[in-house]
Amino acid sequence: MRPHLLPVLIASLLATPAFAQSSDATPDIATAAQSVQKDVVAWRRDIHQHPELGNNEVRTAKLVADQLRKLGLQVKTGVAHTGVVAVLKGGKPGPRIALRADMDALPVTEQTGLPFASKVKTTYRGQDVGVMHACGHDAHVAILLGVATALAAQKATLPGEVMFVFQPSEEGPPNPGENFGAELMLDEGVFRDFKPDAVFGLHVWAGLPVGQVGVRSGPMLAAADEWSLTVRGKQTHGSRPWDGVDPITVAAQILLGTQSLIARQVNIAATPAVLTAGQFNAGVRFNIIPDEAKLVGTLRTFDAAQREDIINRFRRTAEDFAHASGATATLDVAANAPATVNDPALTARVRPSLQRAVGEANVVEMPMVTVAEDFAQFANTVPGVYFFVGSTAKGTDPAKAPINHSPQFLLDEQALDVGVRVTLQVALDYLRGAQ
């Protein structure tokens, strides 16, 4: 293990119930959170050591379903392939809410050095990869299981009903363009018989220190599109490029052109936009110009009209560069998630709950963040609020900490206690009608 990770590792391993942070939460909520913390830590470490990619969360789903059944809940499995849903009916009348956690891991080879680090290997879209909970979904599952356990313990006095939604495949479908995750759960009727009055979700976030919670009203997370650009030329010998049409050169010109597009044609002062290529694949041999090159990437936007404008400009840029060289370019765009927009009225109602849970000074106003979340699908169906829970250990600058999706992403487990407390406070305040 790298020496610079040792202090953070120690902090993470010491984050057991005995080391839980002080809380401004309502006493019964702080006590309830503390009562489940040992189990939450154990669940998180178990899931972290056994990560599963989207639509393959079989072991994780079984762990979730088994625990929910122990609580006496009626459990539905196999929703959107591997999703798990259960409803807790309180002993008193009241509103309905849904609490959501995502379960899938990423095709990332872990480099944290944790004693429970993942050693899982698999194949993803034709490539051999490691598998890691590099985005913290292991923490989300453990937190929501802890919340379910704490709420079930007070079922007799609980007003209203709570749906626990354990969602697969938040990171995207195994194959581009497939229906997946939250949208597929909705298509299969997850809110058909039980339509909540509000839905809440959280994400552990390396960009905040442990103990802080980040939220904003209105647009919070970007829409995510997965695009694929295929450039077709004419194969020839590498020593005689004039006898063919080089798709690699054309694709490189298009890639540079897209960056000028964002910098010079889009008003990013109004709302942010990001156009990124994550893959560039072409050719099989050093002295052969291939007949095809392929770029794959993502577009992030917050405004639907701006998104459509960028896609049209991207397509035109690609086709014009290709035409100038005698090649062709085909752009395909798959919408993976709309922008996550926190309902303003619900956010105003939830903010005091967040402040009660962690203290007013620890609830920070988030800027718009260009990561994306298909929680937006739920929040577009019923009013929703999504918030970040800081996960970087005290003493480490969050700006320098490995960010989510890094192979070195390292969660301070005190974030688990914060996540349980905050979610319990938000849920119970809403169910009890607190403002």
Side-chain angles (χ1 to χ4, degrees):
M1 178 177 29
R2 291 168 301 286
H4 74 280
L5 288 179
L6 186 57
V8 184
L9 172 58
I10 293 172
S12 175
L13 293 177
L14 289 179
T16 61
F19 288 82
Q21 292 183 320
S22 62
S23 168
D24 295 319
T26 308
D28 65 325
I29 291 174
T31 301
Q34 186 67 22
S35 71
V36 300
Q37 182 68 355
K38 183 177 179 181
D39 287 335
V40 171
V41 171
W43 288 326
R44 181 260 166 169
R45 293 183 182 184
D46 185 341
I47 296 167
H48 187 90
Q49 196 167 18
H50 302 93
E52 297 166 304
L53 295 180
N55 290 350
N56 292 286
E57 306 95 335
V58 176
R59 184 184 184 277
T60 306
K62 183 178 185 304
L63 183 155
V64 168
D66 288 348
Q67 178 59 27
L68 294 175
R69 290 190 182 103
K70 289 179 184 177
L71 302 177
L73 304 182
Q74 292 294 315
V75 179
K76 185 175 182 180
T77 61
V79 185
H81 301 297
T82 51
V84 181
V85 178
V87 175
L88 171 63
K89 295 185 178 181
K92 297 181 177 181
R96 287 177 160 183
I97 63 171
L99 304 175
R100 175 270 202 171
D102 38 11
M103 301 190 297
D104 54 326
L106 285 161
V108 172
T109 301
E110 184 160 355
Q111 298 175 12
T112 62
L114 288 168
F116 50 89
S118 166
K119 295 180 174 59
V120 176
K121 307 288 184 183
T122 191
T123 301
Y124 177 75
R125 296 188 182 183
Q127 298 188 49
D128 293 331
V129 295
V131 185
M132 176 191 174
H133 271 293
C135 201
H137 297 186
D138 52 334
H140 303 169
V141 174
I143 287 169
L144 190 53
L145 282 176
V147 170
T149 303
L151 290 178
Q154 49 185 294
K155 176 181 177 180
T157 60
L158 186 71
E161 301 175 63
V162 183
M163 172 182 276
F164 304 102
V165 180
F166 292 86
Q167 181 206 308
S169 197
E170 184 278 326
E171 298 289 355
N175 300 300
E178 291 181 349
N179 195 359
F180 70 98
E183 184 176 19
L184 186 54
M185 293 189 91
L186 288 167
D187 287 349
E188 293 185 4
V190 69
F191 283 176
R192 186 177 301 137
D193 297 325
F194 181 102
K195 188 168 184 179
D197 301 300
V199 60
F200 303 104
L202 64 77
H203 206 300
V204 293
W205 187 241
L208 293 175
V210 69
Q212 285 192 356
V213 174
V215 71
R216 69 176 283 118
S217 179
M220 181 166 172
L221 305 181
D225 291 287
E226 182 175 350
W227 57 263
S228 174
L229 178 71
T230 302
V231 178
R232 293 183 177 86
K234 180 181 177 182
Q235 186 165 316
T236 186
H237 198 288
S239 67
R240 296 179 61 84
W242 50 85
D243 285 337
V245 177
D246 185 353
I248 296 177
T249 300
V250 174
Q253 290 172 329
I254 294 171
L255 179 59
L256 293 176
T258 63
Q259 301 312 298
S260 296
L261 184 162
I262 295 296
R264 289 293 179 266
Q265 299 180 38
V266 177
N267 182 8
I268 56 174
T271 54
V274 176
L275 186 59
T276 294
Q279 292 177 269
F280 194 143
N281 299 314
V284 294
R285 184 174 164 83
F286 77 99
N287 63 347
I288 299 175
I289 292 174
D291 58 7
E292 183 177 290
K294 190 169 185 177
L295 288 164
V296 179
T298 187
L299 169 65
R300 303 299 170 102
T301 54
F302 292 88
D303 179 81
Q306 184 195 62
R307 169 187 176 272
E308 193 65 27
D309 179 61
I310 291 173
I311 292 172
N312 290 336
R313 290 177 184 273
F314 187 2
R315 182 169 285 112
R316 184 179 68 221
T317 297
E319 291 174 352
D320 287 354
F321 267 116
H323 181 261
S325 299
T328 63
T330 303
L331 177 67
D332 296 307
V333 181
N336 280 357
T340 297
V341 180
N342 282 339
D343 181 84
L346 186 60
T347 305
R349 180 173 176 177
V350 163
R351 195 180 296 270
S353 297
L354 300 177
Q355 293 170 347
R356 278 190 282 272
V358 296
E360 184 174 353
N362 286 320
V363 177
V364 300
E365 183 74 10
M366 292 295 297
M368 287 189 285
V369 181
T370 51
V371 301
E373 244 285 359
D374 73 346
F375 175 85
Q377 303 285 0
F378 296 125
N380 284 349
T381 305
V382 300
V385 170
Y386 193 78
F387 51 88
F388 283 139
V389 172
S391 64
T392 293
K394 289 185 176 181
T396 299
D397 183 355
K400 297 179 181 178
I403 195 67
N404 301 61
H405 285 220
S406 164
Q408 298 177 15
F409 172 70
L410 194 60
L411 173 122
D412 185 322
E413 287 180 332
Q414 292 195 41
L416 301 173
D417 173 62
V418 176
V420 172
R421 283 194 280 116
V422 168
T423 306
L424 279 173
Q425 190 83 53
V426 168
L428 287 172
D429 283 354
Y430 189 94
L431 292 171
R432 293 168 177 169
Q435 297 292 331

